[in-house]
Amino acid sequence: MSLNRRDFVKLCTGTVAGFGVAQMFHPAIREVLADTLTGKRPPVIWLQGQGCTGCSVTLLNNVNPSIADVLLKIISLDFHPTVMGSEGGQAIAHIRSIASQWKGQFFVVVEGAIPLARDGKYCVIGEAGHEEITMVDMVKELAPNAAAMLAVGTCAAYGGIPAAKGSETEATGVASFLKQAGIATPVVNIPGCPPQPDWIVGTIALALGLIKEKGLKDGLAEVVSMLDSQGRPLPFFGRNVHDNCPYLKDFDAGKMSPSFNEKEGCRYDLGCKGPMAHCDSFERKWNGGVNWCVANATCIGCTEPDFPDGTSPFYSNK
């Protein structure tokens, strides 16, 4: 089953007739994911920097396609500190082997921020030849030869919590780090604390579909053209939460919820950051479509570059 670009984006965003929110990824997307330009599964190296591993946990919760299909049939996850079996020098050697064999064709996913202080020693990700390898070292080594970098989670995208006020690690996001290092590899930001798993898998689907259609260089250029000013894929981050919130009518009517115990009314006076946040969680929801942030509490603006300092305090008692 073939997909044109418009239908592909619609399938990612759940707007094609017959495919509602509960079926965010039609089986055709799995075909696009599995049928890459070369007919081989693209190698993915997943690095974990300064973070909490929450982005890995959210990916493992992906429902459709299942995470088993994603990892075993669609991509080749060649390095992931949390789920892989090997460790130490053997694992580092494998990273370098993949990067050499697939020069210019492999993808690097970064989870967590990159700490620059003390020569990067705040985040040592491995050891080879009795030498410690920092996150700074490995990103500098891999990024120049990668097809693209995916910054998964707000920490990787913009620095996030590790870069918040009071931090002593000089943590920064991937795009900022590459700019400082003079590395021109394209970066796609998939923020969130953590991101909705569909945003991760859907971005991979979008990229592979365009690579299949246009080739690696032009396909990636097309992906970059679909990013907003903050480096986020517009199919998932192109809409404002507040403008699409089911409580918007209450906001317009001045009907505010006095407490979280009250399910009726807008949560703006309780500290909701929906007016400054951009993502499709109001439609896509979480946990297989069971719930979402504002239904249970408030939006804390976790997809934004200034999270958490710029969106704090998260709650209010106006």
Side-chain angles (χ1 to χ4, degrees), residues 50 112-123 135-136 155 158-174 176-177 180:
Q50 196 175 6
I114 304 172
L116 306 180
R118 298 187 181 275
D119 297 321
K121 295 295 184 181
Y122 280 111
C123 186
M135 188 68 173
V136 168
C155 297
Y158 311 120
I161 292 174
K165 183 178 179 180
S167 171
E168 297 184 4
T169 66
E170 297 177 18
T172 189
V174 175
S176 174
F177 175 79
Q180 292 179 50

Side-chain angles (χ1 to χ4, degrees), residues 69-148:
D69 282 348
V70 173
L71 299 184
L72 301 178
K73 299 178 182 179
I74 295 168
I75 65 173
S76 176
L77 188 61
D78 284 275
F79 183 91
H80 190 300
T82 304
V83 301
M84 68 186 183
S86 64
E87 60 182 334
Q90 182 183 36
I92 298 298
H94 183 65
I95 289 180
R96 289 171 169 162
S97 175
I98 291 297
S100 175
Q101 294 175 38
W102 292 79
K103 185 175 181 179
Q105 301 178 65
F106 67 93
F107 295 83
V108 177
V109 175
V110 175
E111 172 185 4
I114 304 172
L116 306 180
R118 298 187 181 275
D119 297 321
K121 295 295 184 181
Y122 280 111
C123 186
V124 175
I125 66 169
E127 182 180 299
H130 303 291
E131 292 186 6
E132 292 181 336
I133 300 172
T134 68
M135 188 68 173
V136 168
D137 296 332
M138 188 54 73
V139 173
K140 280 186 176 179
E141 180 178 338
L142 295 178
N145 296 319

Side-chain angles (χ1 to χ4, degrees), residues 22-248:
Q23 295 175 300
M24 281 300 182
F25 292 118
H26 182 265
I29 284 187
R30 278 187 260 188
E31 293 180 24
V32 173
L33 281 163
D35 188 12
T36 65
L37 179 66
T38 62
K40 299 178 181 179
R41 294 179 297 147
V44 174
I45 297 171
W46 186 297
L47 302 177
Q48 291 177 334
Q50 196 175 6
C52 68
T53 319
C55 301
S56 291
V57 172
T58 194
L59 177 66
L60 295 174
N61 285 329
N62 199 72
V63 176
N64 186 14
S66 71
I67 190 58
D69 282 348
V70 173
L71 299 184
L72 301 178
K73 299 178 182 179
I74 295 168
I75 65 173
S76 176
L77 188 61
D78 284 275
F79 183 91
H80 190 300
T82 304
V83 301
M84 68 186 183
S86 64
E87 60 182 334
Q90 182 183 36
I92 298 298
H94 183 65
I95 289 180
R96 289 171 169 162
S97 175
I98 291 297
S100 175
Q101 294 175 38
W102 292 79
K103 185 175 181 179
Q105 301 178 65
F106 67 93
F107 295 83
V108 177
V109 175
V110 175
E111 172 185 4
I114 304 172
L116 306 180
R118 298 187 181 275
D119 297 321
K121 295 295 184 181
Y122 280 111
C123 186
V124 175
I125 66 169
E127 182 180 299
H130 303 291
E131 292 186 6
E132 292 181 336
I133 300 172
T134 68
M135 188 68 173
V136 168
D137 296 332
M138 188 54 73
V139 173
K140 280 186 176 179
E141 180 178 338
L142 295 178
N145 296 319
M149 308 282 288
L150 271 65
V152 173
T154 302
C155 297
Y158 311 120
I161 292 174
K165 183 178 179 180
S167 171
E168 297 184 4
T169 66
E170 297 177 18
T172 189
V174 175
S176 174
F177 175 79
L178 295 191
K179 183 177 181 179
Q180 292 179 50
I183 300 172
T185 304
V187 178
V188 178
N189 291 328
I190 310 174
C193 192
Q196 215 276 4
D198 286 356
W199 301 340
I200 304 171
V201 176
T203 298
I204 293 172
L206 188 61
L208 294 184
L210 291 170
I211 289 170
K212 175 189 174 185
E213 177 187 350
K214 298 175 178 282
L216 182 61
K217 181 179 179 180
D218 290 343
L220 287 175
E222 184 77 5
V223 172
V224 171
S225 74
M226 297 176 67
L227 305 180
D228 68 8
S229 61
Q230 305 299 336
R232 303 172 293 197
L234 285 168
F236 302 106
F237 299 94
R239 289 179 286 175
N240 178 267
V241 173
H242 176 75
D243 290 345
N244 295 276
C245 182
Y247 298 102
L248 180 60

Side-chain angles (χ1 to χ4, degrees), residues 216-288:
L216 182 61
K217 181 179 179 180
D218 290 343
L220 287 175
E222 184 77 5
V223 172
V224 171
S225 74
M226 297 176 67
L227 305 180
D228 68 8
S229 61
Q230 305 299 336
R232 303 172 293 197
L234 285 168
F236 302 106
F237 299 94
R239 289 179 286 175
N240 178 267
V241 173
H242 176 75
D243 290 345
N244 295 276
C245 182
Y247 298 102
L248 180 60
K249 62 182 184 300
D250 292 330
F251 176 85
D252 291 340
K255 182 181 178 182
M256 300 296 173
S257 180
S259 72
F260 293 117
N261 294 327
E262 299 291 334
K263 295 301 181 182
E264 300 298 325
C266 173
R267 279 97 167 117
Y268 181 77
D269 282 353
L270 298 176
C272 185
K273 304 303 187 298
M276 65 178 69
H278 297 80
C279 68
D280 65 1
S281 59
F282 54 85
E283 176 183 66
R284 190 172 299 276
K285 297 185 170 60
W286 288 75
N287 303 314

